[in-house]
Amino acid sequence: MNELNAFVTRETVDPGEEGALSGATVAVKDNISTRNLRTTCGSAMLAEYVPPYDATVVERLLGAGATVVGKTNMDEFGMGTTTETSAFGPTRNPADPDRVPGGSSGGSAAAVAAGEADLALGSDTGGSIRCPAAFCGVVGIKPTYGLVSRYGLVAYANSLEQIGPFAPTVAEAAELLDVIAGVDERDATTRAPRREGESYAAAASGDVEGLSIGVPAELVEGADERVIETFETALSELEAEGASIEEVSLDSLSYAVEAYYVIAMSEASSNLARFDGVRYGPATESDGNWNEAFAAVREAGFGEEVKRRILLGTYALSAGYHEKYYEKAQDARAWIAEDFDSALSEVDVLASPTMPVLPPRLGESLEDPLRMYLIDANTVPVNLANLPAISVPAGEAEGLPVGLQLIGPAFGEETIIRAASALA
Ligand code: GLN
C-alpha cells in the first residue's frame, strides 16, 4: 500500500518493555522527535535531520510496550489542512485515493484507516488531528492544552498545540491517551487532572443516558448539505440512546478563523527563525555574509505555504501593526474562551460537524489558501479556548467519511470519550 504515501520514513523501533500497548503498532507524526530516527516535519529543511533524543510521548509509548513502525507524512511544519504542502508529496485518502486525507496529520490518519498501523500519534494546532480523522473515517482526540507533554514536538504555534491519538475506535484512542497523558517536568505547561486509578479507556462506556448536548448554530450554518444530513443522523442516534440535544449560539465563533491565523502565523514566524542553516537546515555556500546565507537556506528549504506564513506572521508582529492585528486577535481569543465557558456551564458537551466539507480532491484547495483556511472554522475555536475535542465517525456521504466533533470543558476528556463511544 505504498501508493498512499502515509509514511515519510518506515523503520521499526521495538519497545524495551512490556506494558499496556504490548503488541500494538503505532505510527508517529514526523514532527515528533524520535532518537536516531529521521524527523523531517514534512520539510526539505529537515530532510536529513536525525534527533538525538525521544519526545516524552515516544518514551511513554516505548515504555508501554508499543512498537513504533515509522514516521508519518504531514503538511510542512503542520501548516495545512490536506497534507499536500509536504515536501515529500501528498498522502492519499484510503477511502478514495483521488482525495486528500485531511491534514496536517494526514499520514497518521491514513495509516490507521488503511491498517498500516494499529494506532497513531498526531499533533493538533488548529484541527490537524480532528480534520484527518474525520476525512479518513477514524477517531482522533485533541487533548486539553497541558494534558500531554509537548517536549520533543517541533513547535509550530506553541500556545495552541497538543499531541494526541488516532485509533479505529474511541476505546482504543482513549487507551493511547492513557499512556501519553500526564505531567512532564520537561514541559512546564503540563497538568495532572486525573485522580489516582482513573483511566480514559474506562470512560468509553457508550452510555449517553442523561447527557446534554449543545449544537452551536455557528458551526452548522454554511456547511455542505450532505455533511449536515450525516451529522444530524448521528445526533438522532445519540438522542435515541438517551442524550438530550439543544441548539446554542456562540457569537464570538465568527471571529475564530481570523484570530487563529493571526496568532498561529505570529508564533510560527518566531518559532521558525531557528531554521537558519547553522543550528538546523543544510549549510549553504556563502562568502561570510550572514544575511545572504540565512536567506539562501530559507529560500531553498521552506515551501510556499511556510514562507507565506512567516511573512504574514512577521508583519502582524511588527511595530505599528502589533496592536492592530496581534492584540486584537488575543482579545478575540479571550472572548471565544469565555463564550465556551458559559455554553459549557449549560450543557455537558458541544457537538458539530468536524469539517464543514467532504474531503477535497487532490490539488483542489492548493490554489486558494484563503479557502483552505476557512474550512478550519469548526476546529480552530477549540484550540483558541484550550479545550479538549474528539472527532468520531458519524457515517458516510457519497461513500466518503463524515466526522462528528464533540467539545468538552477543560480536562473533561472523560465526558467527550463517553459521549463519542456511543458512536464508534
Ligand atoms: N489547518 C490549520 C493550519 O494550517 C491547522 C493545522 C494544525 O493543526 N497543525 O494552521
Side-chain angles (χ1 to χ4, degrees), residues 92-112:
R92 292 171 183 273
N93 190 325
D96 177 349
D98 291 331
R99 295 186 185 257
V100 302
S104 66
S105 318
S108 290
V112 171

Side-chain angles (χ1 to χ4, degrees), residues 306-326:
V306 170
K307 286 176 186 157
R308 175 165 27 246
R309 294 186 186 205
I310 292 172
L311 288 172
L312 288 169
T314 305
Y315 179 76
L317 288 178
S318 60
Y321 293 102
H322 181 269
E323 293 80 12
K324 195 169 165 200
Y325 298 111
Y326 186 70

Side-chain angles (χ1 to χ4, degrees), residues 358-370:
L358 293 171
R361 290 182 192 284
L362 283 164
E364 216 180 316
S365 56
L366 276 182
E367 290 128 43
D368 188 350
L370 274 185

Side-chain angles (χ1 to χ4, degrees), residues 78-81 104 124-128 156 260-261 309 376:
M79 300 176 188
T81 310
S104 66
D124 190 310
T125 311
S128 282
Y156 157 20
Y260 168 81
Y261 275 97
R309 294 186 186 205
D376 295 339

Side-chain angles (χ1 to χ4, degrees), residues 7-364:
F7 288 87
V8 175
T9 306
R10 279 183 196 263
E11 207 174 302
T12 301
V13 184
D14 290 318
E17 293 162 59
E18 293 280 312
L21 294 179
S22 285
T25 55
V26 185
V28 176
K29 189 177 182 179
D30 214 16
N31 60 352
I32 299 174
S33 299
T34 40
R35 191 162 64 91
N36 298 338
L37 183 54
R38 182 168 78 130
T39 298
T40 69
C41 294
S43 182
M45 182 68 87
L46 293 177
E48 311 295 333
Y49 172 62
V50 178
Y53 70 101
D54 278 329
T56 297
V57 292
V58 171
E59 264 177 15
R60 289 185 181 171
L61 279 183
L62 296 172
T67 301
V68 171
V69 288
K71 305 297 298 290
T72 57
N73 200 12
M74 56 182 282
D75 282 299
E76 188 175 2
F77 289 103
M79 300 176 188
T81 310
T82 64
T83 311
E84 292 171 292
T85 72
S86 169
F88 300 89
T91 294
R92 292 171 183 273
N93 190 325
D96 177 349
D98 291 331
R99 295 186 185 257
V100 302
S104 66
S105 318
S108 290
V112 171
E116 294 186 15
D118 298 325
L119 306 165
L121 289 182
S123 66
D124 190 310
T125 311
S128 282
I129 292 175
R130 289 160 288 156
C131 161
F135 283 174
C136 292
V138 297
V139 175
I141 301 176
K142 181 264 166 201
T144 307
Y145 190 78
L147 183 67
V148 178
S149 170
R150 285 177 295 108
Y151 180 76
L153 171 67
V154 180
Y156 157 20
N158 331 40
S159 82
L160 296 161
E161 58 210 5
Q162 279 284 291
I163 293 170
F166 287 96
T169 64
V170 174
E172 290 161 290
E175 276 170 33
L176 180 49
L177 185 60
D178 275 320
V179 168
I180 61 172
V183 168
D184 177 12
E185 62 177 20
R186 292 172 296 189
D187 175 356
T189 62
T190 49
R191 297 283 174 273
R194 273 183 302 182
R195 286 180 292 270
E196 201 63 36
E198 265 178 16
S199 89
Y200 294 119
S205 62
D207 177 12
V208 290
E209 185 67 50
L211 188 89
S212 58
I213 303 177
V215 180
E218 293 80 5
L219 301 186
V220 181
E221 278 159 15
D224 185 303
E225 294 289 328
R226 298 162 295 182
V227 169
I228 297 181
E229 205 175 299
T230 314
F231 168 67
E232 284 177 348
T233 308
L235 276 187
S236 348
E237 243 176 79
L238 293 173
E239 202 169 19
E241 291 177 38
S244 64
I245 318 275
E246 64 182 274
E247 192 177 296
V248 297
S249 181
L250 286 79
D251 291 339
S252 63
L253 295 187
S254 50
Y255 300 94
V257 172
E258 287 88 338
Y260 168 81
Y261 275 97
V262 169
I263 293 170
M265 291 181 189
S266 297
E267 293 187 23
S269 71
S270 159
N271 278 323
L272 271 58
R274 70 185 63 136
F275 301 106
D276 57 10
V278 177
R279 284 165 291 191
Y280 301 96
T284 46
E285 292 282 314
S286 86
D287 55 7
N289 181 321
W290 163 248
N291 283 332
E292 274 170 24
F294 182 80
V297 74
R298 290 162 72 83
E299 165 69 38
F302 288 143
E304 201 184 323
E305 184 61 30
V306 170
K307 286 176 186 157
R308 175 165 27 246
R309 294 186 186 205
I310 292 172
L311 288 172
L312 288 169
T314 305
Y315 179 76
L317 288 178
S318 60
Y321 293 102
H322 181 269
E323 293 80 12
K324 195 169 165 200
Y325 298 111
Y326 186 70
E327 282 180 20
K328 283 269 178 346
Q330 294 294 2
D331 288 347
R333 183 173 190 175
W335 180 25
I336 289 163
E338 273 169 32
D339 249 7
F340 270 119
D341 266 0
S342 66
L344 287 164
S345 66
E346 306 283 320
V347 294
D348 296 319
V349 295
L350 296 167
S352 77
T354 307
M355 298 302 289
V357 296
L358 293 171
R361 290 182 192 284
L362 283 164
E364 216 180 316

